[in-house]
Amino acid sequence: MNYNFEIVVVGGGPAGIAAACAAAEQGKSVAIVDENVGPGGQVWRGERTQQGKCDSTSPSYWFRRLKDCPLIRQFFGWRIFDAPAFGILRSEQQGECIELGYKRLVLATGARERFLPFPGWTLPNVMGAGAIQVMVKSGLPIRNKRVVVAGSGPLLLAVSAYLRQHEANVVAIYEQTSWINLARFMGGITGSPAKLVQGLQYVWKTFGIPFRAGCWPIAVHGKDRLQSAVISNGTKQWELACDYLACGFHLVPNIELASLLGCRIEGTVVEVDSLQRTSVDSIFCAGESTGIGGLEMSLLEGRIAGLASAGDHIGAEALAQQRGKMLRFASLLAKTFALRSELKSLSRPDTIVCRCEDVPFELISRHNSWRSAKLHTRCGMGACQGRICGTALEFLNGWIADSIRPPIFPAPLSSLAVDRENLVHNHLDT
Amino acid sequence: MSHHYDVVVLGAGIVGAACALEFTQAGMRVAVVERGVIGGEATAAGMGHIVVMDDSPAQFALTRYSQLLWAELAPTLPENIEYDRCGTLWIAQNEEEMPELQRKYIYYQSLGVPVQILDSSGLTEAEPNLSTSLVGALLVPEDAVLYSPAAALFMVQCAQKMGAKLYLEKTVVRAGESEVLLDDATMLRTDRIVNAMGASASTVTPDLPIRKRKGHLIITDRYPGFCRHQMVELGYLTSAHSVTSDSVAFNLQPRRTGQLLLGSSRQFDVDNGFVDRSIVKAMVERAQRFIPKLSSLSALRIWTGFRVATPDHLPLIGAIQGDASMFVAVGHEGLGITTSLATAHLLLDQFLERTSIIPLDPYSPSRFSVTEAHA
Ligand SMILES: Cc1cc2nc3c(=O)[nH]c(=O)nc-3n(C[C@H](O)[C@H](O)[C@H](O)COP(=O)(O)OP(=O)(O)OC[C@H]3O[C@@H](n4cnc5c(N)ncnc54)[C@H](O)[C@@H]3O)c2cc1C
Ligand SMILES: Cc1cc2nc3c(=O)[nH]c(=O)nc-3n(C[C@H](O)[C@H](O)[C@H](O)COP(=O)(O)OP(=O)(O)OC[C@H]3O[C@@H](n4cnc5c(N)ncnc54)[C@H](O)[C@@H]3O)c2cc1C
């Protein structure tokens, strides 16, 4: 099946919703696509409309605005796996494949958690902080379970608050960054009341849970299942019995689709100008795939991209004025939650780094580039295409990941074929 | 700084790696220069099918010689090279192809290559997922598959253990007249130079009659037991020979991991590595004729690579006229993994001025006159 739109938005998180609404409100035909079954992305996953407060940063507000746009066609539960040529996206749902045509494209693919290998990290019940939240949202019983939360980033607090709300026994929160960095961070957001309120809310909601900065997990113990986590502050280490370790080391942008489309990547983020334009004509990018900046920034960027892709440059430029402040917050985030170098030496020789292909650290450490390690150890060659180990090794060894190859997610062979006629306008030659 | 070697090998793809090992084993002082990752170019893109082919008598001689050398080496190869003597099935689609199957059978057999003809039911038994409409196949049980980048690395490491020197992440900027200049200004002095720089060989040895031929490959998720042999359509050569247009042929390989590697396409004069989904379409459709179930399998990724071809589809192995120190080993097209070992042997024979097991002339670079090279 083929569907054609003036604008396709990939990602149904805050940035994608805002972009789709802004573009459709300009009278454009818009599609919004997300692999999740409903709108919301990472932060609003599973939220329902008409619930709670309704300001311009609330899910209720945006879900209603999305619903009220007749020009938006929603494709939830559909995952984009290939971009065979400019103007065409391929999407898949349980083996069924559709093609989405666009004149202009907004990528709002968000971010994912970063995982770092340490002894035992592949044991069941060791999971990402965001991942455990998702699992609880989809029914994992967590009441009275002992959860240690560790790693880095504001997500740790958000998840802890969520878990406590669901009656988990959150044993402690360990943030790898130092108290000094956290104090600077708080100082840095005093000028932004909304952020301050949000921060204080999390502090309130996690009140009573021991919070320690400058500590990180170094190992977990357990036979078939997690039994305890070992935490260190650099001089001392101690062990805590737990049922779950929720552990993520801040976020990394999802750049694979942008990269496949030939958009320039700057370090680990998609490069955009003030109107969210990427280096490829008619392709825009908004939200955390352009850098980790939080909800407000994703919403703002989404609105800018929506207007700009719909041709309302004046409107987009007016909004873009507000970007400066958000960018400062983003760089404050990056500085605050930069990973300490001690985290580079957590792996033992036999610690698995690539989970798809079972490649231990000792094999990888014999190589001096991602490409060499990948080619000779198969690390990163599995189904996740190095999304986990590649991201870890970027930090551990300073390696730059290989260029992405299609498809960006595994897909049936038959769904990768495209007729020659449809490729005529392809300008993806890279 | 100056260094003196008996031979400097330029490029550590499978061909350079095989040369480095062979020369070192013969007691020569060897250096290998590689600008990137060992086995990181064509060698990483290839299928690793060790296959006897009979496009021409010279091709047959080289591939058979090599196939036997690989079989000899096999017991010493570490696990990660994934050497697997799975055999090749050359599959006939219809009755019209049966005479060709017969011819191939007689040719291989007369030259001592074990072969066996399978009829339709024998074929289904050998490969249950094949379409039952196929009429038969020629089984070449001594053919094999391996993981070529690992093989290249292994050979370089063996050579290093025996004293060869590896200049890794160094680019050759100039070579000739017993000197090799690297991009960090290191000058290597040597009696002989072997240019095994694959698609980049002309940057150091100008006027080589070589052209790039792009190929696409698709790797699937793991389906252990889905197929057991490397399967190639008998019409492969007809398709491989089309020099005017893009061509596609059915070529499926079982990997040790349970993954399947699907080939193959050939395109001339395309310089970019872009994955052309219309070629992918042609490959998948072609494959579906042979294995209907294939198209529902999950693909993990698609990549492209470049074969380096000469006008007569035979490699250039030997001395370059006008420079007594200069040799080349390039242009192996779609067979360089297979023929790397024989290539190294033939070069060593020339260095030592001893008679080779197979005639050298068909591969001699001097078979192409200069004018032809410019054409
Ligand atoms: C696991 C996780 C949990 C988080 N939890 C919180 C929280 O509780 N509170 C908080 O304030 N912040 C949280 N964050 C931070 C949050 O990401 C941002 O605040 C904000 O949601 C970013 O919005 P976005 O629209 O840029 O990206 P996202 O919300 O990440 O949305 C991107 C969307 O794109 C979709 N997508 C990506 N690629 C494809 C594709 N190829 N095909 C189809 N769909 C695709 C994804 O499924 C996702 O829904 C979390 C982040 C992560 C990674
Ligand atoms: C799609 C495809 C499928 C194939 N399938 C098969 C198969 O099944 N069986 C088979 O036998 N063959 C196959 N081949 C062919 C095989 O891959 C090649 O013939 C073989 O890899 C060539 O090896 P090489 O060492 O000559 O070249 P390469 O592997 O390209 O090595 C050349 C090396 O030289 C280095 N280099 C280049 N310039 C410089 C410089 N200036 N300084 C230093 N180093 C330099 C490069 O970095 C590179 O590592 C296939 C090829 C393709 C493209």
Side-chain angles (χ1 to χ4, degrees):
Chain A
M1 280 286 244
N2 288 13
Y3 302 89
N4 286 298
F5 300 91
E6 276 165 287
I7 296 165
V8 170
V9 178
V10 183
I17 297 173
C21 292
E25 285 157 11
Q26 295 293 311
K28 303 292 177 191
S29 69
V30 175
I32 185 166
V33 201
D34 197 301
E35 61 182 313
N36 290 312
V37 291
Q42 300 291 7
V43 53
W44 295 335
R45 186 194 293 255
E47 304 264 357
R48 268 165 288 152
T49 10
Q50 326 295 5
Q51 232 182 9
K53 66 184 169 95
C54 195
D55 62 33
S56 64
T57 58
S58 72
S60 310
Y61 171 86
W62 283 103
F63 287 5
R64 194 168 316 137
R65 196 162 156 186
L66 181 66
K67 216 172 82 194
D68 290 345
C69 274
L71 284 171
I72 301 180
R73 174 129 188 206
Q74 303 185 10
F75 292 88
F76 286 102
W78 290 90
R79 174 192 254 180
I80 304 291
F81 64 86
D82 196 14
F86 181 84
I88 309 175
L89 293 174
R90 289 255 158 134
S91 191
E92 184 253 0
Q93 181 179 58
Q94 285 163 10
E96 192 189 336
C97 174
I98 55 172
E99 198 166 285
L100 299 171
Y102 61 84
K103 293 206 180 75
R104 276 175 297 280
L105 179 63
V106 179
L107 302 172
T109 48
R112 61 175 179 265
E113 286 183 270
R114 171 168 27 217
F115 299 111
L116 294 180
F118 51 83
W121 75 294
T122 54
L123 268 182
N125 290 2
V126 178
M127 47 181 99
I132 197 167
Q133 187 178 26
V134 170
M135 292 192 60
V136 172
K137 282 184 183 179
S138 52
L140 178 78
I142 200 71
R143 198 164 165 258
N144 293 335
K145 296 280 193 234
R146 295 161 304 171
V147 187
V148 170
V149 177
S152 198
L155 188 57
L156 299 187
L157 279 185
V159 169
S160 300
Y162 179 87
L163 291 175
R164 147 159 312 165
Q165 197 191 330
H166 288 77
E167 297 176 58
N169 169 14
V170 181
V171 180
I173 308 168
Y174 297 105
E175 164 61 62
Q176 59 88 36
T177 202
S178 64
W179 282 113
I180 297 174
N181 284 346
L182 287 179
R184 283 203 194 107
F185 182 70
M186 291 311 274
I189 62 172
T190 45
S192 152
K195 293 269 185 264
L196 205 57
V197 169
Q198 201 182 10
L200 290 173
Q201 270 174 351
Y202 281 136
V203 171
W204 169 247
K205 287 184 188 161
T206 56
F207 188 75
I209 302 175
F211 178 93
R212 301 273 308 266
C215 300
W216 58 92
I218 55 169
V220 296
H221 295 313
K223 270 220 178 69
D224 311 316
R225 206 158 55 77
L226 173 70
Q227 278 163 349
S228 65
V230 185
I231 308 291
S232 164
N233 63 3
T235 48
K236 219 171 65 182
Q237 27 183 284
W238 59 96
E239 195 170 335
L240 290 159
C242 56
D243 301 304
Y244 291 95
L245 173 63
C247 180
F249 293 87
H250 206 32
L251 306 177
V252 285
N254 290 322
I255 58 168
E256 292 73 18
L257 184 54
S259 169
L260 183 69
L261 283 156
C263 303
R264 201 151 47 229
I265 306 299
E266 193 186 347
T268 58
V269 308
V270 180
E271 184 188 292
V272 287
D273 66 8
S274 62
L275 296 187
Q276 308 299 137
R277 287 178 292 214
T278 69
S279 65
V280 177
D281 196 28
S282 302
I283 300 183
F284 300 74
C285 188
E288 299 216 302
S289 28
T290 70
I292 307 306
L295 175 63
E296 283 83 4
M297 177 144 156
S298 285
L299 285 171
L300 178 70
E301 290 196 346
R303 288 160 68 205
I304 298 171
L307 291 178
S309 64
D312 179 4
H313 290 269
I314 295 172
E317 259 156 36
L319 280 179
Q321 306 297 319
Q322 301 170 34
R323 247 180 121 235
K325 203 169 93 189
M326 308 263 180
L327 286 173
R328 277 196 297 283
F329 177 67
S331 79
L332 186 61
L333 270 179
K335 253 187 243 142
T336 306
F337 298 106
L339 299 184
R340 59 173 63 230
S341 59
E342 286 95 328
L343 296 171
K344 291 186 182 173
S345 41
L346 299 184
S347 287
R348 292 210 201 102
D350 63 348
T351 305
I352 297 293
V353 175
C354 171
R355 301 180 75 155
C356 300
E357 298 286 335
D358 279 342
V359 188
F361 187 67
E362 65 183 327
L363 285 186
I364 293 169
S365 53
R366 291 181 201 163
H367 297 270
N368 57 3
S369 70
W370 170 245
R371 177 140 177 81
S372 178
K374 182 171 167 182
L375 211 52
H376 293 300
T377 69
R378 306 185 51 82
C379 141
M381 281 202 183
C384 94
Q385 290 226 2
R387 278 181 178 76
I388 294 173
C389 62
T391 305
L393 288 165
E394 208 171 281
F395 166 68
L396 296 178
N397 293 354
W399 289 350
I400 303 155
D402 241 0
S403 60
I404 187 94
R405 294 193 173 115
I408 57 168
F409 291 106
L413 273 168
S414 56
S415 67
L416 297 166
V418 176
D419 284 321
R420 168 135 304 195
E421 310 79 80
N422 293 341
L423 291 174
V424 176
H425 300 295
N426 136 41
H427 58 77
L428 290 180
D429 289 3
T430 42
Chain B
M1 249 218 303
S2 154
H3 310 264
H4 199 102
Y5 295 99
D6 293 323
V7 51
V8 174
V9 180
L10 317 183
I14 192 93
V15 173
C19 288
L21 180 56
E22 185 65 19
F23 306 158
T24 311
Q25 275 172 337
M28 303 176 101
R29 288 170 302 164
V30 175
V32 198
V33 190
E34 170 54 54
R35 67 174 169 195
V37 172
I38 290 171
E41 301 224 348
T43 299
M47 263 188 142
H49 185 200
I50 305 300
V51 55
V52 176
M53 298 263 275
D54 61 342
D55 186 18
S56 61
Q59 187 191 61
F60 177 88
L62 194 64
T63 52
R64 173 64 171 159
Y65 181 19
S66 271
Q67 183 217 44
L68 293 172
L69 288 171
W70 276 112
E72 206 176 291
L73 200 62
T76 69
L77 296 176
E79 193 62 14
N80 70 330
I81 290 173
E82 298 175 20
Y83 178 90
D84 182 9
R85 225 194 63 170
C86 61
T88 305
L89 282 174
W90 292 92
I91 301 174
Q93 289 189 79
N94 46 46
E95 291 300 333
E96 284 97 84
E97 288 185 348
M98 286 313 273
E100 169 58 12
L101 201 72
Q102 285 291 343
R103 184 207 59 78
K104 206 175 175 77
Y105 172 79
I106 292 165
Y107 186 79
Y108 278 46
Q109 210 189 31
S110 70
L111 290 162
V113 183
V115 272
Q116 188 190 340
I117 286 188
L118 305 182
D119 62 10
S120 178
S121 67
L123 187 54
T124 316
E125 202 177 306
E127 290 293 350
N129 283 313
L130 276 175
S131 158
T132 46
S133 71
L134 303 163
V135 294
L138 181 73
L139 172 64
V140 187
E142 290 185 0
D143 283 350
V145 305
L146 52 73
Y147 182 57
S148 32
L153 182 62
F154 172 71
M155 290 195 280
V156 169
Q157 286 171 342
C158 288
Q160 278 179 287
K161 276 186 203 135
M162 288 186 286
K165 170 95 176 125
L166 172 66
Y167 293 85
L168 193 60
E169 293 180 352
K170 300 281 182 283
T171 302
V172 175
V173 289
R174 183 162 52 77
E177 310 292 345
S178 296
E179 287 183 345
V180 176
L181 179 65
L182 309 187
D183 57 350
D184 63 353
T186 305
M187 178 69 89
L188 311 179
R189 283 173 225 286
T190 175
D191 293 346
R192 299 179 188 85
I193 301 164
V194 173
N195 181 347
M197 289 175 11
S200 306
S202 309
T203 59
V204 160
T205 314
D207 299 330
L208 291 172
I210 53 177
R211 268 171 98 187
K212 295 208 276 185
R213 277 190 107 172
K214 182 174 168 179
H216 286 70
L217 290 178
I218 308 172
I219 188 124
T220 71
D221 215 331
R222 297 176 184 221
Y223 298 96
F226 186 89
C227 71
R228 284 169 250 163
H229 303 84
Q230 173 117 14
M231 289 181 262
V232 190
E233 68 171 279
L234 193 62
Y236 181 80
L237 273 182
T238 343
S239 118
H241 266 186
S242 154
V243 283
T244 47
S245 63
D246 301 348
S247 62
V248 159
F250 171 66
N251 191 348
L252 187 70
Q253 176 176 94
R255 307 290 317 173
R256 270 270 185 87
T257 54
Q259 293 176 292
L260 305 171
L261 190 51
L262 178 67
S264 63
S265 70
R266 285 166 194 263
Q267 291 169 282
F268 265 127
D269 303 321
V270 187
D271 243 350
N272 63 61
F274 174 70
V275 173
D276 183 337
R277 309 307 195 284
S278 68
I279 298 283
V280 171
K281 181 181 165 82
M283 285 164 65
V284 173
E285 280 175 356
R286 191 87 195 166
Q288 212 168 340
R289 285 200 219 168
F290 293 82
I291 301 193
K293 259 200 243 169
L294 198 69
S295 59
S296 64
L297 303 190
S298 184
L300 281 194
R301 75 192 58 82
I302 313 173
W303 68 86
T304 60
F306 293 94
R307 308 171 182 91
V308 180
T310 65
D312 62 3
H313 305 288
L314 291 171
L316 306 170
I317 306 168
I320 290 293
Q321 281 165 350
D323 180 348
S325 67
M326 199 69 199
F327 295 77
V328 291
V330 290
H332 297 73
E333 201 166 344
L335 287 169
I337 313 294
T338 306
T339 56
S340 54
L341 297 185
T343 299
H345 278 251
L346 295 185
L347 279 171
L348 185 64
D349 292 340
Q350 293 177 54
F351 296 169
L352 304 180
E353 292 175 4
R354 64 182 187 200
T355 337
S356 296
I357 290 180
I358 61 170
L360 293 168
D361 297 345
Y363 323 108
S364 163
S366 62
R367 70 186 185 276
F368 298 107
S369 70
V370 178
T371 37
E372 212 177 322
H374 280 296

